[in-house]
Amino acid sequence: MPVNKSYSKQFLASEAARCLLCYLPACTKACEKGFDPAGFIRSVRFENTKNDFGKIIKDQCKNCDAPCEKACIHYDYPIRIRDMAEHIESKVTDLKEVSLSVEFCGITCENPFFLSSSVVASNYEMCANALRAGWGGIVFKTIGFLQPEEVSPRFAATNKEGTPFIGFRNLEQIAEHSLEENLMYLKKLKEDFPEKIIVASIMGQTEEEWTKLAKAVTDIGVDIIECNFSCPHMSAHGLGADVGQSPELVKRYTEFTRKGTHLPILAKMTPNLGNMEIPAIAAMEGGADGIAAINTIKSITGINLYDMAPAPHINGKSAVSGYSGKAVKPVALRFIHDLASHEQLKGVPISGMGGIETWQDAAEFIALGCENIQITTAVMQYGYRIIDDLILGMKAFLKEQGYNSIHQLCGSALKSFVHPDLLDRTTLTYPIVDKNKCIGCGRCFISCEDAGHQAIKFEEHEHRPKLIAKNCVGCHLCLLVCPCGAISSGRRVPKPS
Ligand SMILES: Cc1cc2nc3c(=O)[nH]c(=O)nc-3n(C[C@H](O)[C@H](O)[C@H](O)COP(=O)(O)O)c2cc1C
């Protein structure tokens, strides 16, 4: 049954979320016209719809008997590819002239998208594949003299309503390969990809080790050094987040890193504290050129109540460890805001990360002051291929909104944040229900009744919500729980006296 065009946004989002995003997708393989339906669905999933994927399918597949849909291997029913194309409002933009090139710590980067230091950038081949796919740079997996012994399993996830993982917990430490091997990978990466940015993430155990590591990676030709002051689950004491929580240690280890290099130094911060500005200022005083944030958040993702084993459990035991992925984005954005708006850190280059999956996520970090973006968990979930939609989506946004560079967007949302004291508390906006879009599920009623101000009437014979304006405080919980986008925000008016 065709879906009403009023629900295009909801239909596209739910259908794209249902797609399994297969490797070697059967739908694309089955297309006799050589189109890429899988690429189209992925572009919808990753919020990049200003392209001609949907338009091609809409225009040219009307009379096709849809071998793509027949070939779909979904365990339930096939993704409705042609219906999705019908719902796309593709305003195709010419992106040839749009550049994502950006200066970061004095270095020109082809685009702001880097792999962040982790398993996704832990050997030569992996990094080379990512750079060939279009990533602007890589931050190699943290290296050090310490070669840790890792646990199995080492990952766990939190999920909700069928979304495979919204948050991700890991127990991985620094690189498992030897220091010599890692230095060789880094050297070869810079030699083979001279135009890409190669960042070495380092972690020393003593002051001398920080200097030696900085010197070693400088000698082999990397572009930037990132100091890992932030891994929250190192098995040895006095490393990672233990350092990042102490401004004195951050400053001292940055100074010792500076002794071994002339390259830009980024200090990677831990979010496992209240005020990130304090260690960030200490790092700048110690000789850093910029800040990277955030590393993972100390977490426990869950406990199996039948054997009391936390996930992931290693012979029944686990340890508090780092949380990442979409769920941490709000926390990461808050820290970025705090860094970028602090008087003593104004103008300091920031590399932002934590839950970035789409170009929109990335643009929000940039709008709060980041000139560089790093990603791990989304790559673990979806692969290096997300770079296509990151690049195209960001280009389309810049072009459409008239920004002529990433720099112009950088920090432009900071002015929108004020102290809670300064917020307008004299006006409100009432919700407006679109009667044509409302399907009468009553979710707005339930939420308003049980968690709001009893401002919605829902009579059984009418099966539609009715606003009781005198009770409504304009909190907009109804708007947030409406599953079909039928409730919007009305005009701002003075609060009734
Ligand atoms: C499996 C895994 C391994 C990681 N290893 C490192 C590491 O070696 N060094 C480091 O600085 N950060 C490490 N991180 C943290 C990430 O670089 C990043 O700061 C964090 O995951 C937040 O970004 P994301 O939400 O895009 O994953 C790791 C993260 C994960 C999930």
Side-chain angles (χ1 to χ4, degrees), residues 116-119 141-142 155 168 170 172-174 201 226 228 230 268 294-296 324-325 328 353-356 374-378 380:
S116 74
S117 176
S118 74
V119 64
K141 174 82 187 159
T142 302
F155 303 140
F168 184 72
N170 89 89
E172 190 181 284
Q173 305 181 72
I174 66 172
S201 166
E226 186 176 272
N228 182 342
S230 40
K268 184 162 174 184
I294 61 172
N295 206 317
T296 51
S324 61
V328 311
M353 74 204 90
I356 299 171
Q374 297 188 32
I375 303 180
T376 278
T377 306
M380 293 183 77

Side-chain angles (χ1 to χ4, degrees), residues 110-343:
E110 140 192 342
N111 65 55
F113 302 117
F114 286 22
L115 294 181
S116 74
S117 176
S118 74
V119 64
V120 300
S122 52
N123 63 39
Y124 173 84
E125 236 6 275
M126 293 176 91
C127 296
N129 285 339
L131 295 173
R132 279 187 217 109
W135 291 81
I138 58 101
V139 185
F140 199 82
K141 174 82 187 159
T142 302
I143 61 172
F145 290 95
L146 175 85
Q147 234 179 305
E149 197 65 63
E150 296 292 7
V151 294
S152 162
R154 62 189 74 162
F155 303 140
T158 45
N159 40 44
K160 189 174 190 293
E161 290 152 13
T163 305
F165 52 88
I166 52 166
F168 184 72
R169 183 158 94 91
N170 89 89
L171 264 160
E172 190 181 284
Q173 305 181 72
I174 66 172
E176 282 177 286
H177 301 121
S178 70
L179 181 58
E180 293 66 37
E181 227 176 321
N182 289 321
L183 290 173
M184 190 187 70
Y185 292 145
L186 282 163
K187 184 166 186 287
K188 191 162 158 47
L189 281 167
K190 192 62 215 176
E191 282 166 4
D192 294 351
F193 299 91
E195 72 293 356
K196 302 278 186 174
I197 308 306
I198 308 299
V199 185
S201 166
I202 60 170
M203 184 191 281
Q205 290 177 278
T206 60
E207 293 167 347
E208 291 68 36
E209 280 194 9
W210 284 100
T211 310
K212 277 189 192 158
L213 287 165
K215 182 157 177 9
V217 296
T218 305
D219 288 348
I220 56 160
V222 304
D223 299 288
I224 298 177
I225 295 176
E226 186 176 272
C227 295
N228 182 342
F229 295 142
S230 40
C231 176
H233 44 251
M234 293 299 294
S235 51
H237 295 282
L239 293 175
D242 289 353
V243 175
Q245 286 165 327
S246 156
E248 294 75 30
L249 282 182
V250 166
K251 184 172 172 194
R252 185 133 48 92
Y253 289 154
T254 310
E255 284 167 351
F256 276 87
T257 304
R258 178 48 75 213
K259 283 189 182 182
T261 188
H262 62 281
L263 296 176
I265 298 175
L266 293 176
K268 184 162 174 184
M269 297 284 113
T270 175
N272 299 300
L273 38 63
N275 287 18
M276 194 178 278
E277 309 88 273
I278 298 169
I281 292 168
M284 298 308 290
E285 286 170 356
D289 297 273
I291 303 295
I294 61 172
N295 206 317
T296 51
I297 303 174
K298 284 190 181 184
S299 69
I300 293 172
T301 36
I303 292 162
N304 178 339
L305 293 176
Y306 300 94
D307 60 8
M308 293 298 155
H313 72 86
I314 299 101
N315 283 336
K317 302 270 191 271
S318 199
V320 167
S321 76
Y323 198 47
S324 61
K326 197 78 168 189
V328 311
K329 185 182 131 189
V331 179
L333 286 175
R334 169 254 157 160
F335 278 118
I336 299 297
H337 161 269
D338 291 357
L339 294 173
S341 52
H342 195 279
E343 224 19 77

